Amino acid sequence: MDTKVINGNRSRPDHPPGCFEVVKGVADWLLSRTDVRPRIGMICGTGMGSVPGMINVRNEFAFEDIPHFPVSTVKGHAGKLILGFIGSVPVMCMKGRAHYYEGYDIAQCVLPVRVMKECGVTHMMISNAAGALNENFQVGDVMIMKDHVNFLGLAGVNPLRGISDDRFGPRFLLTSRIYDKEMRQMAKQAAKELGYESQFHEGVFAMVGGPNFETVAECRMLRMMGIDTVGMSTAHEALAGHHCGIKVFAFSIVTNKCDMEYDSGYHISHDQILASGFRMELMIRMWISTIISLLSAELEKTKS
Ligand SMILES: O=P(O)(O)O[C@@H]1C[C@H](O)[C@@H](CO)O1
């Protein structure tokens, strides 16, 4: 049997999903098919669908055509990986994502993030659609993440679980500064410059496993815990990005309020969430474009 030792750990036979050799192989596969050397990686969830339209596209791949890439089965998630430029900034952009609730192993869910790192990405922008727990948030608002509660991670459904490979990052990771302060500042500055300030907040996101929406008791618990928005993605991607040294920025697009009252008759559906996200696409596009202009000066400084 082919077993080998990585970091003092005896690995399982063959390559476990998302191990370094697989990630490197996928990155090499992509880099041999494009001349783009991306610096910014983007994961576009619901409501960020117009952002890929800003890209001067050089190459586009369907997720299903990329070896080992998890394929999205959710309506509204196109499942395309785009390489190109926004202005002069080389980007690698996922139009849609695969979620843990679709049945993937958590390591498979973050494979694209690790591939981004191996392709040269230094900064990452992640978005999701989320329900608002904070009473001051309205549908159509945006919440910049300053922190998260990763319920899956806390329960051990963690992409850092398993054999520790230093080529990704350390065994024991400090996560108290997971969301990059400079990028958060740029995002707030961009919202101010565009006159969007009243719709933008900073707060704490909670990732739950989904795919069901939360019960009233769960929503009340989350609010009591000081959580502002809740959704079914992002925290594991942010964790994997931070682990491998990428500067991470993430935000929630508030597509609905959470149901806090029994027998309220309030209804949440994926189609409503898609419609709310769609209404915000123009604003998000302008905002992301402004953040990227602000970021491009910093990227110039660290060009290799
Ligand atoms: O990929 P995101 O997190 O934006 O997708 C949202 C959250 C759930 O996956 C689903 C619920 O409607 O859409």
Side-chain angles (χ1 to χ4, degrees):
M1 230 191 309
D2 171 33
T3 50
K4 59 185 178 152
V5 175
I6 304 173
N7 279 354
N9 291 307
R10 188 161 297 282
S11 77
R12 286 166 296 194
D14 307 313
H15 290 142
C19 74
F20 186 82
E21 286 75 11
V22 168
V23 167
K24 182 81 173 71
V26 180
D28 290 346
W29 187 93
L30 285 167
L31 292 175
S32 68
R33 285 164 176 76
T34 181
D35 56 9
V36 178
R37 295 295 174 260
R39 291 295 305 278
I40 297 184
M42 303 169 108
I43 303 180
C44 299
T46 308
M48 211 168 141
S50 69
V51 169
M54 301 193 294
I55 302 174
N56 178 2
V57 178
R58 288 289 171 82
N59 310 91
E60 186 175 297
F61 303 92
F63 289 174
E64 61 252 40
D65 294 336
I66 308 172
H68 301 283
F69 234 67
V71 175
S72 179
T73 58
V74 179
K75 188 174 165 189
H77 287 256
K80 297 258 183 335
L81 181 73
I82 298 166
L83 285 134
F85 293 85
I86 297 182
S88 60
V89 179
V91 299
M92 182 167 182
C93 174
M94 287 169 66
K95 195 172 179 188
R97 60 156 64 83
H99 305 81
Y100 179 68
Y101 63 72
E102 291 175 72
Y104 296 101
D105 188 283
I106 199 80
Q108 269 177 294
C109 291
V110 302
L111 176 128
V113 173
R114 290 172 164 162
V115 168
M116 283 180 182
K117 169 71 181 181
E118 287 309 307
C119 287
V121 163
T122 54
H123 294 68
M124 201 163 80
M125 299 175 132
I126 314 176
S127 84
N128 64 36
L133 296 148
N134 186 315
E135 285 177 284
N136 299 320
F137 292 7
Q138 306 303 327
V139 172
D141 287 358
V142 172
M143 190 197 78
I144 295 165
M145 287 179 206
K146 70 170 179 215
D147 203 352
H148 70 220
V149 175
N150 177 5
F151 281 98
L152 275 68
L154 289 175
V157 183
N158 190 317
L160 313 189
R161 179 174 178 270
I163 293 160
S164 182
D165 191 332
D166 287 343
R167 291 172 293 180
F168 286 137
R171 168 86 289 178
F172 300 106
L173 178 70
L174 183 70
T175 58
S176 48
R177 285 178 286 280
I178 188 162
Y179 296 105
D180 185 68
K181 191 174 164 196
E182 279 74 37
M183 288 180 85
R184 284 192 282 128
Q185 263 156 0
M186 281 177 205
K188 285 183 266 184
Q189 186 185 331
K192 194 171 174 186
E193 281 178 18
L194 293 165
Y196 294 155
E197 263 173 310
S198 61
Q199 273 173 274
F200 280 69
H201 314 275
E202 201 171 28
V204 178
F205 170 72
M207 179 177 173
V208 292
N212 58 283
F213 296 108
E214 298 68 41
T215 66
V216 171
E218 286 164 348
C219 291
R220 289 181 176 185
M221 176 195 76
L222 294 170
R223 182 182 278 176
M224 265 181 355
M225 290 171 129
I227 290 159
D228 299 297
T229 61
V230 58
M232 304 176 198
S233 66
T234 303
H236 58 313
E237 298 157 343
L239 187 55
H242 187 57
H243 184 235
C244 64
I246 299 177
K247 290 188 175 177
V248 178
F249 168 71
F251 60 96
S252 286
I253 296 173
V254 176
T255 51
N256 58 282
K257 291 193 168 208
C258 292
D259 193 356
M260 306 302 297
E261 298 301 329
Y262 288 104
D263 307 319
S264 65
Y266 182 64
H267 187 74
I268 304 169
S269 73
H270 183 60
D271 282 340
Q272 284 167 3
I273 287 169
L274 289 177
S276 301
F278 186 69
R279 281 194 288 277
M280 293 164 70
E281 286 191 346
L282 185 61
M283 181 180 85
I284 298 293
R285 183 178 167 142
M286 306 268 289
W287 180 56
I288 295 291
S289 158
T290 310
I291 300 173
I292 291 183
S293 327
L294 293 169
L295 195 55
S296 62
E298 185 181 318
L299 294 178
E300 275 302 314
K301 279 189 239 155
T302 53
K303 215 170 179 173
S304 57

